[in-house]
Amino acid sequence: MVDETNVRGMVDIGYAATTIGSYDLYMGVDYLKSKLMTGEVPVVSANVFDESSGELLVEPYVVVAPAGVRFAVTGVLDPAIDLRTHRDIESAGVTIGDPYDALTELVPELREKADYVVLLSHTGLPRAKDIVAAVSGIDFLIVGNHSAYSAEAYEVDGVVFIQPGYKGQYLSDYRLDFGEDGAYTGYTGRTFALGENVPSDAAMALMLKEHKVGVEEFTKAQAAEKAKEREAQAKATQSYAEACIGANDSCKRCHASQFDQWMTTAHASAFETLEESHQATNPACLRCHATCALELPLDGSGTVLPELRSVQCESCHGMGTDHARDGSYGAVAATSCLRCHDQENSPDFDFATYAAKVAH
């Protein structure tokens, strides 16, 4: 979701343009206009329309000319995408047109105004491939709304695809090469993971930390302030508490040695890692760093009971209320792990290797 920190970051990095994504409309179109559409960062989209006026929500494209080479940058959003909105927002306030029709009409105009056409395709990879198969004239395509990244750029129907993944875990760094006559000759570069081997910009890291702390403080205060008003909702949010019973007061009584071994694993401190990184109210993180917390609200207003924090017995073996004495309860299969150790969060997951780290 876009806020001041996102915009400040894009400005400091030097974004030439961005496009509208699925989470940008979480608080509705008016909120998006107030945060992102301020002119600080060019926002482009060829197929997102303001529901109230029927006009394009933002400019369809922008032309930038680094080193005298003109690039027309446009963007499209997948019309089939799930536009999630806050519970207080009845409608995102936009309609999404057909990306093929929009680009078929727009790209010829861009070819007249620029040397190269860049598409910011917030459509996922399969639809991005369909687009370049149906629409000619696109030179470069940035694959958005697709979790997997590609370390190398590649070509589809003559269009250079750059696939950086998402959630800011990777960075694509490419350079275009031109001959003495100014003709494009190719590109160099790669996409790499942003990890410990990549130094952080001090100012950007500080801004991000302040943002996380601020979000955490705000959501905690909001949850406390509205606790009485949404008592009924809180019960529904935490209905999982009736099904999951927690390890300390239940499993431990009969499985003491297994409990003691579990305490030595990373699973036992999974919630603490969120607290250390100021993500303990982030529902996207809690779904895998807490027990039976799969359906917490996206706005961070849900809470996780202390007895269900971290990855406890029931995360792998099933809910304690389903415990049987006939030996059928408790088997751990790879599918139990894949709920969290998926391609996005744990791309190198191997069941045998990972299971050995927590076996008891």
Side-chain angles (χ1 to χ4, degrees):
M1 186 174 67
V2 174
D3 59 15
E4 289 86 351
T5 302
N6 297 127
V7 175
R8 283 174 54 199
M10 288 188 282
V11 170
D12 290 348
I13 291 172
Y15 270 44
T18 187
T19 193
I20 297 171
S22 54
Y23 280 90
D24 294 334
L25 291 155
Y26 181 63
M27 295 295 291
V29 69
D30 291 336
Y31 176 89
L32 179 63
K33 289 178 179 179
S34 69
K35 299 300 180 183
L36 184 58
M37 295 157 55
T38 61
E40 294 181 271
V41 179
V43 185
V44 296
S45 178
N47 73 324
V48 177
F49 296 85
D50 189 318
E51 193 174 59
S52 61
S53 67
E55 301 293 329
L56 280 173
L57 184 62
V58 295
E59 293 296 324
Y61 66 91
V62 64
V63 176
V64 296
V69 181
R70 300 172 302 164
F71 292 88
V73 184
T74 186
V76 290
L77 183 62
D78 187 351
I81 206 163
D82 180 16
L83 288 179
R84 298 187 178 185
T85 55
H86 187 273
R87 65 176 184 271
D88 295 330
I89 305 298
E90 295 183 4
S91 170
V94 300
T95 56
I96 306 173
D98 188 297
Y100 306 98
D101 292 344
L103 292 171
T104 298
E105 180 178 350
L106 180 62
V107 170
E109 177 183 345
L110 302 185
R111 299 254 31 125
E112 294 180 359
K113 296 184 177 181
D115 304 305
Y116 302 96
V117 174
V118 180
L119 175 61
L120 308 178
S121 181
H122 196 84
T123 61
L125 183 58
R127 189 178 287 270
K129 290 181 177 180
D130 291 342
I131 286 174
V132 298
V135 182
S136 61
I138 300 168
D139 299 295
F140 304 97
L141 186 146
I142 313 300
V143 182
N145 194 41
H146 191 75
S147 60
Y149 86 104
S150 174
E152 303 290 340
Y154 54 94
E155 293 192 11
V156 177
D157 290 331
V159 179
V160 177
F161 272 50
I162 297 174
Q163 186 177 319
Y166 68 172
K167 292 190 176 180
Q169 296 172 323
Y170 304 92
L171 177 67
S172 293
D173 182 15
Y174 287 90
R175 302 289 188 273
L176 303 185
D177 301 321
F178 296 89
E180 293 182 0
D181 59 353
Y184 168 66
T185 59
Y187 60 87
T188 56
R190 66 189 182 92
T191 297
F192 55 89
L194 292 173
E196 295 180 356
N197 295 328
V198 181
S200 297
D201 177 86
M204 195 71 69
L206 177 60
M207 181 175 69
L208 182 59
K209 181 178 180 180
E210 291 174 344
H211 173 72
K212 289 181 177 180
V213 171
V215 169
E216 184 178 48
E217 291 176 348
F218 173 79
T219 53
K220 285 182 177 179
Q222 184 184 52
E225 181 181 342
K226 295 183 177 180
K228 292 183 179 180
E229 299 176 10
R230 54 165 212 275
E231 182 177 352
Q233 178 184 344
K235 288 181 179 179
T237 299
Q238 298 180 354
S239 61
Y240 63 84
E242 299 175 5
C244 289
I245 54 183
N248 194 55
D249 295 326
S250 53
C251 309
K252 180 181 178 180
R253 288 179 299 186
C254 297
H255 303 284
S257 62
Q258 289 86 349
F259 179 88
D260 291 342
Q261 189 279 334
W262 167 77
M263 286 293 293
T264 68
T265 70
H267 278 172
S269 58
F271 189 82
E272 293 177 14
T273 63
L274 295 187
E275 292 182 310
E276 292 168 359
S277 58
H278 306 289
Q279 296 291 285
T281 61
N282 187 336
C285 300
L286 286 171
R287 65 179 293 273
C288 287
H289 285 252
T291 302
C292 296
L294 296 177
E295 301 299 334
L296 292 170
L298 291 175
D299 62 3
S301 62
T303 57
V304 174
L305 301 177
E307 59 267 29
L308 294 176
R309 294 173 180 176
S310 292
V311 183
Q312 300 185 27
C313 308
E314 291 165 287
S315 296
C316 302
H317 296 286
M319 291 183 293
T321 50
D322 294 334
H323 198 303
R325 299 295 192 272
D326 60 2
S328 61
Y329 173 82
V332 178
T335 52
S336 301
C337 309
L338 290 173
R339 178 175 61 82
C340 291
H341 290 281
D342 54 18
Q343 182 63 33
E344 176 189 344
N345 296 301
S346 191
D348 299 323
F349 175 74
D350 174 75
F351 177 68
T353 302
Y354 277 58
K357 296 180 181 180
V358 295
H360 44 248

